Amino acid sequence: MTLPPCYAGKILRVNLTTGKISEEPLKEDLVKAFVGGRGLGAKYLFDEISPGIDPLSPENILIFMTGPLNGLPVPCAGKHVVISKSPATNTFLDCYAGGFFGVELKFTGFDGIIIHGKAEKLSYLLITDGKAEIRSAEHLKGKPVDEVTNILREDNKIDDLSVAAIGPAGENLVRMACITNDLYHQAARGGIGAVMGSKNLKAIAVKGTKDLNVPDMDKFLEVAEEAIVEAIKNPEHEWALLGGTPEIVDLSQEVDVLPTKNFQYGEFEKASEINWNAIKKKIFIKKVACFSCPLGCRNLVEVREGPFKGTVLEGPEYETLALTGSNCGISDLNAIAKFNLLCDFLGLDTISTGNVVAFAMECYEKGLITKEDTGGLELTFGNVDAYIKMPELIARREGIGAILADGVKIAAEKIDKGAEKYAVHVKGLEYPGYDPRGSIGMALAYATADRGACHLRSWVIAKEAFGDLDPFTTEGKAAEVIDDQDRNSIKWSLILCDFYAADYAIMVKLLSAATGIQYSENELKLMGERIWNLTRAFNIREGFTRKDDTLPPRIMEESLPTGKAKGRRVTKEDFEKMLDEYYKLRGWTKDGIPTLEKLKQLGLNDVAEKLGLK
């Protein structure tokens, strides 16, 4: 296989300990097996770090990876992926961000960056058209992302320099720290920003002008145009063209899956104050889009009155509205927007931050922590004054923020007094914005996700509570979750955005036209399954088994008290039934370990060997 011209053809290696920067050819055999993006990054991670390392040690690596479609005029191909071992969960971790950073990286002549070691002093990496250098970032210490971005653009005299940076949260190794690029786009979950901070790497700035190519441009443009028209006319994308993800607030409220007051409830009495209609009426300015996106699902907003007047950002997205809004009992849309912007620029994942603040609020209301612990803050549900102070405290590990900065799992262990039953997470990663008691397939999706609780691996709720499948039966849910996980694994290797409803037929057309290699749907399905089994193998090597594919006490032991899903919980019997079926369909053992036969079938013989399977 000759490497297709849609790839830049090179990987950039940066050793921050030694200061050495080198290039290497993108390996054709890895591209053939793993395509790019998620798959390629996962293989590099599995091969290059030893099991059991501390994710915040120099032995961990940080990978920025693009895919074969990045930089080409196809729908929703503007994202990149950041991959590492998670400091929040000790699992495989991949985080995706839109904007322009990934495309600019590819235009510099590199398909990806693999970062090793730790710089002696705070540094940043500048990459422009095939040239890379490590520079001092001492003047950026402690600064928020917006200031870092503006300073680096001014320092380098490049107005449209694309900057991916950490805020104070990443520098302080907060385990929910994110990496923000292009001001409003985050690689967010699992503490990926803390990994970057542990390497004394404040930012990566990229700008490229190199061209990409395809074997048959006329054929490619024909397929690309067809895909763009399909994307715009597809009824599954109507939500993106209209309100974007905030429209999900009403959907979740209707079926009682909207996290409210730390997942105590599935409905929020003031949901109408934080939904799309409220955004459109109070703070909406215009729609905006990432590179090469005909959908433009993002909303540019501005707070026009009150104490947070002048707050401007892209958002808030549904997950933020749910986790920092209803889950914290907050109905003040202006406050949510400000909280969102604080998280973006301080470098915090809004999903985990909203969860840990809601957890602290419940602990405070139940007397597990007091004003002495909170520094005098009345940390009750709905208290905007206390709520708005939390991102800064968490990002800087000050006061109560020092307890919360490592996430709900560790915070619950520190608080003790039974706090564990209020900590809603899987493997240490906080829950996204869908209560699985109102959509049981999501319980299996969260439990089996390779990076901890994640709704993106399988958004089975679209077919359950939001669709025609019974949301309370276990029947067929394992197969649905597996199909989603495998399809998304290949989708994120191309890389295509989550919000593009791309099935295998569309992906085959786009990948075949971009590479000049004729793929089949079965080949892509096999690749997706191969990649999912690879990340599972990574976690198995780290000591994870069936015992870790579980649910928090709140979901299994407490029933929803109100709404259409009143009285519902995910029973141990139902959950174990789904998990048994999932493992069986996957071809794994009852402990959730891929078998030798399965790994060989997927061409992962070297992985089986490293797991000690014979």
Side-chain angles (χ1 to χ4, degrees):
M1 171 185 176
T2 301
L3 201 63
C6 61
Y7 292 93
K10 292 188 295 185
I11 295 292
L12 183 70
R13 293 259 183 192
V14 179
N15 190 313
L16 293 169
T17 302
T18 65
K20 181 181 179 182
I21 297 176
S22 59
E23 301 174 7
E24 66 183 46
L26 184 61
K27 296 177 181 177
E28 294 178 7
D29 59 330
L30 294 186
V31 170
K32 184 176 181 181
F34 300 101
V35 184
R38 167 178 161 88
L40 196 57
K43 186 67 168 103
Y44 277 112
L45 187 73
F46 186 91
D47 288 347
E48 297 191 16
I49 68 170
S50 301
I53 65 161
D54 181 347
L56 297 177
S57 71
E59 286 71 36
N60 198 7
I61 60 176
L62 183 66
I63 303 171
F64 287 74
M65 194 66 67
T66 65
L69 300 183
N70 285 126
L72 299 176
V74 298
C76 308
K79 286 196 170 185
H80 65 280
V81 60
V82 191
I83 290 174
S84 193
K85 181 180 177 182
S86 170
T89 61
N90 287 304
T91 63
F92 169 81
L93 176 63
D94 57 335
C95 302
Y96 301 81
F100 299 86
F101 180 88
V103 173
E104 288 291 350
L105 172 60
K106 199 165 178 186
F107 288 163
T108 67
F110 298 105
D111 292 293
I113 316 167
I114 302 178
I115 302 167
H116 302 256
K118 177 181 180 180
E120 184 177 349
K121 295 182 178 180
L122 195 65
S123 304
Y124 80 95
L125 182 64
L126 177 67
I127 310 172
T128 55
D129 282 339
K131 299 177 182 178
E133 58 181 305
I134 301 167
R135 293 185 174 183
S136 172
E138 287 290 288
H139 62 306
L140 305 175
K141 191 178 178 79
K143 292 188 181 300
V145 170
D146 57 329
E147 290 185 30
V148 172
T149 301
N150 292 332
I151 290 170
L152 290 183
R153 286 174 175 172
E154 185 176 330
D155 285 352
N156 293 286
K157 295 179 172 52
I158 303 175
D159 292 339
D160 58 349
L161 188 70
S162 187
V163 178
I166 57 171
E171 290 183 54
N172 293 321
L173 309 185
V174 172
R175 293 178 195 265
M176 60 191 75
C178 69
I179 302 169
T180 297
N181 65 269
D182 304 312
L183 295 177
Y184 304 121
H185 300 266
Q186 286 73 39
R189 307 234 61 200
I192 197 74
V195 177
M196 193 159 160
S198 74
K199 296 186 173 302
N200 264 339
L201 185 63
K202 180 68 174 175
I204 302 176
V206 297
K207 181 62 183 176
T209 59
K210 291 183 179 293
D211 291 330
L212 297 171
N213 208 341
V214 295
D216 184 339
M217 184 58 74
D218 289 340
K219 174 62 176 176
F220 174 78
L221 290 176
E222 180 183 325
V223 172
E225 179 64 23
E226 180 184 330
I228 291 170
V229 171
E230 191 277 338
I232 295 172
K233 292 185 176 181
N234 189 334
E236 290 188 52
H237 294 145
E238 186 178 6
W239 64 271
L241 294 164
L242 298 175
T245 63
E247 293 203 356
I248 302 174
V249 170
D250 289 338
L251 292 175
S252 293
Q253 172 78 354
E254 176 66 23
V255 296
D256 305 307
V257 299
L258 182 64
T260 301
K261 295 186 177 180
N262 198 33
F263 286 85
Q264 293 183 76
Y265 307 91
E267 57 180 0
F268 184 43
E269 60 182 8
K270 297 182 178 180
S272 63
E273 297 179 31
I274 63 170
N275 64 5
W276 165 237
N277 285 334
I279 289 175
K280 183 168 55 175
K281 179 180 178 181
K282 295 178 181 178
I283 61 176
F284 177 75
I285 299 175
K286 65 179 181 178
K287 301 292 287 185
V288 289
C290 301
F291 176 88
S292 190
C293 180
L295 300 182
C297 71
R298 296 177 67 83
N299 301 313
L300 183 67
V301 303
E302 180 179 7
V303 175
R304 302 186 180 103
E305 59 185 12
F308 311 119
K309 183 179 179 179
T311 297
V312 177
L313 73 151
E314 291 180 23
E317 300 292 345
Y318 168 74
E319 298 296 330
T320 303
L321 294 165
L323 278 314
T324 76
S326 57
N327 204 42
C328 293
I330 300 292
S331 60
D332 184 338
L333 186 59
N334 293 342
I336 295 171
K338 180 64 176 181
F339 191 100
N340 190 162
L341 189 65
L342 287 170
C343 287
D344 287 356
F345 290 169
L346 290 167
L348 290 168
D349 170 23
T350 56
I351 294 178
S352 287
T353 304
N355 267 285
V356 79
V357 171
F359 163 78
M361 287 173 167
E362 183 170 6
C363 287
Y364 183 85
E365 291 196 351
K366 287 184 163 62
L368 277 63
I369 57 176
T370 66
K371 276 191 176 182
E372 185 178 344
D373 301 302
T374 65
L377 294 177
E378 189 84 21
L379 198 56
T380 54
F381 288 112
N383 186 340
V384 170
D385 291 338
Y387 158 86
I388 210 68
K389 293 180 174 68
M390 297 309 294
E392 190 85 32
L393 293 174
I394 292 170
R396 301 194 185 277
R397 288 186 177 269
E398 296 174 353
I400 186 65
I403 295 175
L404 304 179
D406 292 321
V408 296
K409 181 178 183 291
I410 294 176
E413 292 167 358
K414 291 178 179 177
I415 294 169
D416 200 15
K417 305 176 187 177
E420 290 85 354
K421 64 183 178 181
Y422 308 131
V424 184
H425 69 90
V426 170
K427 302 180 179 73
L429 189 65
E430 292 79 10
Y431 260 37
Y434 310 91
D435 192 317
R437 290 173 292 184
S439 188
I440 197 170
M442 291 305 296
L444 183 64
Y446 290 158
T448 58
D450 48 15
R451 68 176 186 178
C454 176
H455 63 294
L456 297 174
R457 268 58 180 161
S458 172
W459 204 51
V460 68
I461 192 172
K463 294 183 179 179
E464 280 189 320
F466 299 160
D468 298 326
L469 290 183
D470 185 340
F472 304 118
T473 181
T474 63
E475 299 302 320
K477 299 306 166 61
E480 291 287 349
V481 168
I482 289 170
D483 286 346
D484 280 354
Q485 290 171 341
D486 290 352
R487 184 178 63 256
N488 284 328
S489 286
I490 188 62
K491 182 178 179 180
W492 296 337
S493 298
L494 293 183
I495 300 171
L496 289 170
C497 178
D498 302 299
F499 299 154
Y500 183 38
D503 58 17
Y504 285 107
I506 295 170
M507 290 191 285
V508 163
K509 285 184 179 181
L510 289 172
L511 185 59
S512 298
T515 61
I517 301 167
Q518 188 56 51
Y519 290 90
S520 68
E521 291 188 28
N522 284 337
E523 284 178 301
L524 263 60
K525 288 178 180 179
L526 186 67
M527 287 177 181
E529 186 182 7
R530 177 185 299 131
I531 293 163
W532 189 264
N533 275 264
L534 173 62
T535 62
R536 180 68 177 191
F538 180 95
N539 288 351
I540 295 298
R541 194 174 65 172
E542 293 297 330
F544 290 87
T545 60
R546 183 185 185 117
K547 70 181 187 306
D548 303 291
D549 294 345
T550 188
L551 303 175
R554 170 142 286 164
I555 302 304
M556 298 189 81
E557 298 172 9
E558 299 180 26
S559 300
L560 283 169
T562 61
K564 292 180 180 178
K566 181 179 180 180
R568 295 285 183 176
R569 63 186 175 92
V570 181
T571 66
K572 183 176 177 59
E573 180 183 4
D574 280 347
F575 176 71
E576 296 294 339
K577 179 182 178 181
M578 287 193 298
L579 195 60
D580 281 339
E581 184 179 4
Y582 176 90
Y583 289 162
K584 183 177 181 180
L585 291 175
R586 278 278 179 212
W588 298 351
T589 70
K590 288 187 176 181
D591 287 326
I593 300 172
T595 62
L596 176 62
E597 291 74 21
K598 172 55 66 175
L599 294 179
K600 282 186 173 182
Q601 176 194 339
L602 297 171
L604 295 173
N605 300 48
D606 59 328
V607 172
E609 184 177 341
K610 289 182 179 179
L611 289 183
L613 299 179
K614 297 179 181 179

